[in-house]
Amino acid sequence: MLFTNNGPGYFAIVAAQNEQGKRVYGVAAGFDSDESALREARSQAMFRGGQEKTFYTMSSGSRLRPKANNPTSATQPAPKPDWNEWRNTACANLQYRNKTLEGYDWNYQVHMYFQVKSDFKVPVTFVFGLYDKNGKMHFGDVHTLRPGEQQEFVHKMSGRIIESIRITEVKNAQTGRNLSCDDDGTKNPGESEKDLMLEINGYAVKIPDDNPTKKHYLQRIEYARKDTKITEEGYINVLKEARDGLKQLHESITKTQNWQNNANAQSARILEDQKQKAEEQRIAEEQRKKEELERKMATEKAAFDDKMQKGDAAMNSKNYPAAMSYYQAAQNSTTDANDRARAVNSYNAALDAKRNADREVRVEQANIRDKDENIAYGTMATAAAGTMAFLKDGYSGKGFAGKFLLGLGYEHSPILSNGTGEFAAAKSWIEERNLLTFHTGFLLGVLNNKPVSIYLKPEMNLGMSALVSGVSGGYFSYGGAAVLQLAVKPHAKFSIFGEGGWMRYSGTFKYDADAQNNTATDDVREGNMSFSKLRYGGGFMLRWIDKGQGKETYLRPGAFFEKPSFFTGAAKPVLSMNLQVNVYSAILLDFTYTPKTFIPGELHYPATLERKDVNYFAVKIIRQGRLN
């Protein structure tokens, strides 16, 4: 950057942003006043495209005229500032003074010199901070001083910006502990850490190591030693408290031991008499317990046999839950190992019988579901195919055009499932299911076949797990999309489009391995899903129109992003690809492929899930019928 008048006088540098958001500058120098220099600099920045509301001043000031080359001319010596008075307003035990030197031979700089000396009795570290009028710290160096030591340092700046001095983070350099500015490090004469620790150790060795009070005081000392935030005075107070507490504890233990020694002699005589009486009582008590145990065992045996008989009766009548309950009660009612083993075996037999009976019922229900789904799909597919045969499509050049869509298809998609039932594993899976699908909807052209065309596409879809044994369920979805299509002229052969839409999905999944494979694994899984999906993207369309026959053929490839409602804000949408092929207004083929698609459903056992990628693909065969 060049100054407008690179000579002595007032100068200014301003900056601003132009309409493209780039920074532009304006500079001026050699003016008679600060206002003139700023006005010229702003004029230059505005000439370069600077916007009015973005101006700010980067630097301004003045430069002295150079000294005359004539050796005989009179010159004034540069002022030499003196040190000001020592003061300790920032910290009582740290004195400091400063002097300030302004220099014009350096393009105007301010040098601030400082001297600091310590009145602390211990080495200290501290932060010497320089702040402007807004409380912002511009310099904050860490210094270390020994007792009575003095340091000198300088800070250089572009102007007189320093308004206050603060001294913070004062610490004992030997221990790293915080020091108060009014504590010179000797607030505890005669109570040194070494002396206190000698007393503490002297009491501690006389007290058992498992004494909780002793552990408490020693732990407090250890925590205080490691805590650098505690002051020296605070640390000494912790040691004093521990010394006094351990002393009292030692005296208390000593008194207790003396009392016990005196009591032990008298207790020995009494103890001998008590031993003899206790032996007599023991013999009598053993005899009583033996008789009581015999009565208890007889009662216990009778109760056990009663429960086992009831369990056998329930087992014979195929009431397996009742039998299991009786056998479990019998197991809990006895302490005899042989009887418990007998009850356990009977319980396991009842459990196996219940499992087999439940399995037969469950497999039969699965077979009924499969049959019902197959019949429902066959009926719906026949009706849809018959209706599709009556639909008539054709090319329409009207400004508003509507078409009814009906079709059949196939879909390969994932869903989360979880083990269900009394005997199923507590596990989750990612299922890949094959669905036979139905599709219906409308294609409404608001500005049909114009250079700018708008289409609305409401739709409904149904998927069924038909024709697959042991698997049932499906999904239902509804929603729609809006399309903006652009071409260079009406009825153009080539056009591009953007599309965005929303769909709502709900569905179920049931899998019974025993119904599918005629096994006895009790591998039963169920899944549920309920979510919405945003879909947006675009592509292009190549179209061939036979206006004489009123027919059209087109290819419409597109790429879309799909984001389900259960994705978090950080999850990226999934890329999906679609291709539609309209064959001479006779049939519309729709192909969709989504690599590594999202997995919908409820996850009950996350730790057991074996993660894998699933590729979604679907094929639809659709017939269109013109509405006008």
Side-chain angles (χ1 to χ4, degrees), residues 17 20 39 70 84 162 265 395 404 420 423 425 478-479 527 547:
Q17 289 184 341
Q20 290 76 34
R39 187 165 51 251
N70 186 357
N84 56 22
I162 302 304
Y395 175 76
F404 172 70
T420 185
F423 306 107
Y478 62 90
K547 293 184 178 180

Side-chain angles (χ1 to χ4, degrees), residues 203-204 206-208 210-217 241-257:
Y203 291 123
K206 300 175 183 179
I207 301 172
D210 59 351
N211 186 281
T213 305
K214 172 184 174 179
K215 291 181 179 179
H216 167 72
Y217 283 118
E241 182 181 345
R243 185 267 317 274
D244 296 340
L246 291 174
K247 179 180 178 181
Q248 293 177 3
L249 179 62
H250 170 63
E251 293 174 352
S252 176
I253 292 175
T254 302
K255 290 179 181 179
T256 302
Q257 289 176 343

Side-chain angles (χ1 to χ4, degrees), residues 362-363 366 470-471 510-517 523-525:
R362 193 189 68 244
V363 170
V471 179
K510 290 186 178 181
Y511 167 74
D512 192 323
D514 299 330
Q516 186 177 78
N517 305 316
D523 183 3
V524 182
R525 311 173 189 177

Side-chain angles (χ1 to χ4, degrees), residues 487-523:
V488 295
K489 61 181 180 178
H491 318 291
K493 183 177 182 180
F494 176 81
S495 60
I496 61 174
F497 69 90
E499 180 175 332
W502 175 90
M503 295 293 294
R504 179 69 186 178
Y505 293 83
S506 61
T508 62
F509 170 82
K510 290 186 178 181
Y511 167 74
D512 192 323
D514 299 330
Q516 186 177 78
N517 305 316
N518 194 25
T519 56
T521 62
D522 294 319
D523 183 3

